[in-house]
Amino acid sequence: MKLVRKTVLAASMAMALSTAGMLAAAPAHAEVWDCGAYIANNVGTGSCNSGFGSYQVRVSCASAHWPYTREIHGPVVYKAQDQWVGPESSVSGAANGCHITDAWVHAL
């Protein structure tokens, strides 16, 4: 009887550990691609045309004040699977007191 109880207890512990491992696993990750960014009138803008998921535009912004160059992240936007073109994420250099020198899209 003690052997049966120990076997059941061991099996229960193994099942609990296995379930905990699955629950702690990283969630599924969506992916966007065919993304592009551009700069116009000191505003960096980016969007994605394929896939689905979250992304944001990131810009390198030069300033006459310290720090001379900094990276600024635009708002996070989400492209749904059924959207042809994803929404735009944009950052204004003038609003941040700097001049945008580079822009790119970062998938999250």
Side-chain angles (χ1 to χ4, degrees), residues 12-59:
S12 297
M13 291 296 285
M15 202 177 320
L17 288 172
S18 173
T19 302
M22 287 189 296
L23 292 175
H29 177 72
E31 187 176 331
V32 290
W33 63 91
D34 191 17
C35 303
Y38 63 93
I39 303 166
N41 299 320
N42 203 25
V43 175
T45 303
S47 65
C48 295
N49 297 324
S50 300
F52 65 98
S54 299
Y55 58 92
Q56 66 185 168
V57 69
R58 293 188 176 181
V59 300

Side-chain angles (χ1 to χ4, degrees), residues 39-102:
I39 303 166
N41 299 320
N42 203 25
V43 175
T45 303
S47 65
C48 295
N49 297 324
S50 300
F52 65 98
S54 299
Y55 58 92
Q56 66 185 168
V57 69
R58 293 188 176 181
V59 300
S60 181
C61 213
S63 171
H65 305 288
W66 182 261
Y68 298 112
T69 301
R70 59 192 166 134
E71 186 175 298
I72 302 173
H73 300 180
V76 174
V77 294
Y78 182 83
K79 181 188 176 306
Q81 269 185 307
D82 60 349
Q83 282 181 301
W84 182 256
V85 177
E88 290 185 339
S89 175
S90 61
V91 172
S92 169
N96 287 285
C98 56
H99 178 74
I100 296 175
T101 58
D102 193 17

